[in-house]
Amino acid sequence: MWCFCPGHLLGRPRYLEVPAVLLSVLSAAGTDPDDKSTSKPPTFEDAQESATNAASWVEQNWSTWLGIGLRIVLIVAIAIVLRVIVRRAITKLIDRMNRTAQAVDGTALGGLLVNVERRRQRSHAIGSVLRSVASFLILGTAALMILGTFEINLAPLLASAGVAGVAIGFGARNLVTDFLSGVFMILEDQYGVGDSIDAGVASGEVIEVGLRVTKLRGDNGEIWYVRNGEVKRIGNLSQGWSTAGVDVTVRPDEDLDKVKETLTSVGETMAKDEPWNERLWGPIEILGLDSVLLDSMVVRVSAKTMPGKSLGVERELRWRIKHAFDEAGIRIVGGLPLPTEEAPTDPTAGMSAPSAYASATSPQSLASAPIPPPNLAK
């Protein structure tokens, strides 16, 4: 906006630029510089008076705005520093958990604990949740404090946020259920990567654990995506320790003392060999006869193993028992049948019983003979 000054400088008219703040002051005073319908145009004295008023207003309120600005800067700085400190503390805690898991991996104690990959994913998920919650709380509180600095009434805002939260909770209740179930599942360490679980809706080996979905690898190689909120019960087959059980079926006429001695020798030899000495957490026990039938006897063999290694121990134990039984001459059910003496065959066994119809002169044959046709020639 330009205004004309009556004075001239070097023969040309002199123009002064009026700032925007002066225009607002002039508008507030009832003088509109752009209104051409007014009879009296604004003069330089009016502009000077408006500038004086604006300067006095700024002089009166600059301390208030400066205090508000400094308060906002202080709140933002404290929030950023606190957020950085909390996130670093959470990251150091997660790194310490991972280092502890790596220190015990590959040892006998590591079997009791979770493996490195499982601990890494579990700690990563927990760290992500904690960092997100901390950032939300710190930044949300800082935003509310900044709005309060401007003397804004926060009651309607908080009420609206509460109503919106309830609406979102009802609309996305399945998502919230999955998320909360995943959080508690990770915190309670119900299962992890590498565990074999039975989740009811699907079963298999856990290959990935998330806050919303758990991925399982089935027995046939398929991948199951199971929502955490749908899991009502979990059967973990890999925590603590496992049990390897083998049923040895032999013929009923075998010597039980010889069978027991052979199985004991197999168990002692296997417990000393690598890597079975680490996978076996207890001696191989012969529990005794599980069943006695007319054509077989079942001897039960059991051993406590490292979690998730029971199937491999069972296969190796069957392999060794079969070789030991072959060397000891112990026959298991399913071998070659015993030779039996063949009874002489009766040549008349395939013949049918004599019949009354076999004789042409028997009363039965005569009664069943066809009636001859009458002689028409006579």
Side-chain angles (χ1 to χ4, degrees), residues 351-375:
M351 299 177 59
S352 61
S355 175
Y357 293 96
S359 177
T361 60
S362 63
Q364 291 82 357
S365 299
L366 294 176
S368 62
I371 299 175
N375 190 358

Short mmCIF file of all heavy atoms in Angstrom, two decimals, residues 351-375:
data_model
loop_
_atom_site.label_atom_id
_atom_site.label_comp_id
_atom_site.label_asym_id
_atom_site.label_seq_id
_atom_site.Cartn_x
_atom_site.Cartn_y
_atom_site.Cartn_z
N MET A 351 -13.91 -132.46 -3.84
CA MET A 351 -15.09 -133.08 -4.46
C MET A 351 -16.33 -132.75 -3.65
O MET A 351 -16.29 -132.67 -2.42
CB MET A 351 -14.89 -134.61 -4.54
CG MET A 351 -13.70 -135.02 -5.38
SD MET A 351 -13.43 -136.82 -5.39
CE MET A 351 -15.00 -137.37 -6.07
N SER A 352 -17.47 -132.63 -4.36
CA SER A 352 -18.73 -132.35 -3.70
C SER A 352 -19.36 -133.64 -3.17
O SER A 352 -19.01 -134.74 -3.61
CB SER A 352 -19.69 -131.65 -4.66
OG SER A 352 -19.94 -132.49 -5.78
N ALA A 353 -20.29 -133.49 -2.29
CA ALA A 353 -20.97 -134.65 -1.72
C ALA A 353 -21.85 -135.31 -2.77
O ALA A 353 -22.35 -134.66 -3.69
CB ALA A 353 -21.80 -134.21 -0.52
N PRO A 354 -22.04 -136.65 -2.67
CA PRO A 354 -22.89 -137.35 -3.68
C PRO A 354 -24.32 -136.85 -3.62
O PRO A 354 -24.85 -136.51 -2.55
CB PRO A 354 -22.77 -138.81 -3.27
CG PRO A 354 -22.37 -138.79 -1.85
CD PRO A 354 -21.52 -137.56 -1.66
N SER A 355 -24.99 -136.82 -4.76
CA SER A 355 -26.34 -136.31 -4.88
C SER A 355 -27.26 -137.40 -5.41
O SER A 355 -26.83 -138.28 -6.18
CB SER A 355 -26.38 -135.09 -5.79
OG SER A 355 -27.70 -134.66 -6.00
N ALA A 356 -28.50 -137.32 -5.01
CA ALA A 356 -29.48 -138.30 -5.50
C ALA A 356 -29.75 -138.13 -6.97
O ALA A 356 -30.19 -139.07 -7.65
CB ALA A 356 -30.78 -138.17 -4.69
N TYR A 357 -29.51 -136.95 -7.48
CA TYR A 357 -29.76 -136.71 -8.90
C TYR A 357 -28.65 -137.25 -9.79
O TYR A 357 -28.74 -137.18 -11.01
CB TYR A 357 -29.94 -135.20 -9.16
CG TYR A 357 -31.19 -134.65 -8.53
CD1 TYR A 357 -31.15 -134.04 -7.28
CD2 TYR A 357 -32.42 -134.72 -9.19
CE1 TYR A 357 -32.28 -133.51 -6.68
CE2 TYR A 357 -33.56 -134.20 -8.62
CZ TYR A 357 -33.49 -133.60 -7.37
OH TYR A 357 -34.63 -133.10 -6.80
N ALA A 358 -27.54 -137.72 -9.17
CA ALA A 358 -26.44 -138.24 -9.98
C ALA A 358 -26.80 -139.57 -10.65
O ALA A 358 -26.21 -139.93 -11.68
CB ALA A 358 -25.19 -138.41 -9.11
N SER A 359 -27.73 -140.36 -10.10
CA SER A 359 -28.14 -141.64 -10.68
C SER A 359 -29.39 -141.43 -11.54
O SER A 359 -30.36 -140.82 -11.08
CB SER A 359 -28.42 -142.67 -9.57
OG SER A 359 -28.88 -143.87 -10.12
N ALA A 360 -29.37 -141.94 -12.77
CA ALA A 360 -30.51 -141.75 -13.70
C ALA A 360 -31.71 -142.60 -13.31
O ALA A 360 -32.84 -142.32 -13.75
CB ALA A 360 -30.08 -142.07 -15.13
N THR A 361 -31.48 -143.66 -12.53
CA THR A 361 -32.59 -144.54 -12.14
C THR A 361 -33.16 -144.21 -10.78
O THR A 361 -34.05 -144.93 -10.30
CB THR A 361 -32.10 -146.00 -12.16
OG1 THR A 361 -31.01 -146.13 -11.22
CG2 THR A 361 -31.65 -146.41 -13.56
N SER A 362 -32.67 -143.17 -10.13
CA SER A 362 -33.19 -142.84 -8.81
C SER A 362 -34.56 -142.21 -8.94
O SER A 362 -34.92 -141.65 -9.98
CB SER A 362 -32.24 -141.87 -8.10
OG SER A 362 -32.17 -140.64 -8.82
N PRO A 363 -35.39 -142.37 -7.90
CA PRO A 363 -36.74 -141.77 -7.97
C PRO A 363 -36.71 -140.26 -8.20
O PRO A 363 -37.59 -139.72 -8.87
CB PRO A 363 -37.34 -142.12 -6.61
CG PRO A 363 -36.57 -143.31 -6.14
CD PRO A 363 -35.18 -143.17 -6.67
N GLN A 364 -35.72 -139.58 -7.66
CA GLN A 364 -35.65 -138.14 -7.86
C GLN A 364 -35.41 -137.79 -9.32
O GLN A 364 -36.00 -136.87 -9.87
CB GLN A 364 -34.54 -137.53 -6.97
CG GLN A 364 -34.84 -137.56 -5.48
CD GLN A 364 -34.51 -138.91 -4.85
OE1 GLN A 364 -34.10 -139.85 -5.57
NE2 GLN A 364 -34.68 -139.02 -3.55
N SER A 365 -34.49 -138.53 -9.96
CA SER A 365 -34.21 -138.27 -11.39
C SER A 365 -35.42 -138.60 -12.24
O SER A 365 -35.73 -137.88 -13.20
CB SER A 365 -32.98 -139.06 -11.83
OG SER A 365 -31.83 -138.67 -11.10
N LEU A 366 -36.10 -139.71 -11.95
CA LEU A 366 -37.27 -140.08 -12.75
C LEU A 366 -38.40 -139.07 -12.57
O LEU A 366 -39.12 -138.75 -13.52
CB LEU A 366 -37.75 -141.49 -12.35
CG LEU A 366 -36.76 -142.64 -12.68
CD1 LEU A 366 -37.30 -143.98 -12.16
CD2 LEU A 366 -36.51 -142.72 -14.18
N ALA A 367 -38.53 -138.55 -11.35
CA ALA A 367 -39.60 -137.58 -11.11
C ALA A 367 -39.33 -136.25 -11.79
O ALA A 367 -40.25 -135.52 -12.16
CB ALA A 367 -39.79 -137.38 -9.61
N SER A 368 -38.08 -135.94 -12.00
CA SER A 368 -37.75 -134.67 -12.63
C SER A 368 -37.55 -134.77 -14.12
O SER A 368 -37.19 -133.78 -14.76
CB SER A 368 -36.48 -134.09 -11.98
OG SER A 368 -35.38 -134.98 -12.18
N ALA A 369 -37.76 -135.97 -14.72
CA ALA A 369 -37.58 -136.13 -16.17
C ALA A 369 -38.71 -135.43 -16.89
O ALA A 369 -39.85 -135.39 -16.40
CB ALA A 369 -37.54 -137.61 -16.53
N PRO A 370 -38.48 -134.87 -18.07
CA PRO A 370 -39.52 -134.17 -18.81
C PRO A 370 -40.59 -135.15 -19.32
O PRO A 370 -40.30 -136.33 -19.61
CB PRO A 370 -38.77 -133.50 -19.96
CG PRO A 370 -37.54 -134.31 -20.11
CD PRO A 370 -37.19 -134.85 -18.76
N ILE A 371 -41.82 -134.67 -19.46
CA ILE A 371 -42.94 -135.51 -19.95
C ILE A 371 -42.80 -135.61 -21.46
O ILE A 371 -42.70 -134.60 -22.16
CB ILE A 371 -44.29 -134.88 -19.56
CG1 ILE A 371 -44.39 -134.79 -18.01
CG2 ILE A 371 -45.44 -135.69 -20.11
CD1 ILE A 371 -45.63 -134.08 -17.54
N PRO A 372 -42.82 -136.85 -22.00
CA PRO A 372 -42.69 -136.99 -23.45
C PRO A 372 -43.94 -136.47 -24.16
O PRO A 372 -45.04 -136.55 -23.63
CB PRO A 372 -42.52 -138.49 -23.64
CG PRO A 372 -43.13 -139.11 -22.44
CD PRO A 372 -42.93 -138.17 -21.32
N PRO A 373 -43.79 -135.91 -25.36
CA PRO A 373 -44.97 -135.37 -26.09
C PRO A 373 -45.85 -136.50 -26.58
O PRO A 373 -45.38 -137.63 -26.81
CB PRO A 373 -44.30 -134.59 -27.24
CG PRO A 373 -42.99 -135.25 -27.42
CD PRO A 373 -42.54 -135.73 -26.07
N PRO A 374 -47.14 -136.27 -26.73
CA PRO A 374 -48.05 -137.31 -27.21
C PRO A 374 -47.77 -137.66 -28.67
O PRO A 374 -47.31 -136.84 -29.45
CB PRO A 374 -49.42 -136.68 -27.04
CG PRO A 374 -49.18 -135.22 -27.08
CD PRO A 374 -47.80 -135.01 -26.47
N ASN A 375 -48.12 -138.95 -29.07
CA ASN A 375 -47.88 -139.41 -30.43
C ASN A 375 -49.08 -139.00 -31.27
O ASN A 375 -50.16 -139.54 -31.14
CB ASN A 375 -47.71 -140.93 -30.43
CG ASN A 375 -47.22 -141.45 -31.79
OD1 ASN A 375 -47.05 -140.68 -32.73
ND2 ASN A 375 -47.00 -142.75 -31.87
#
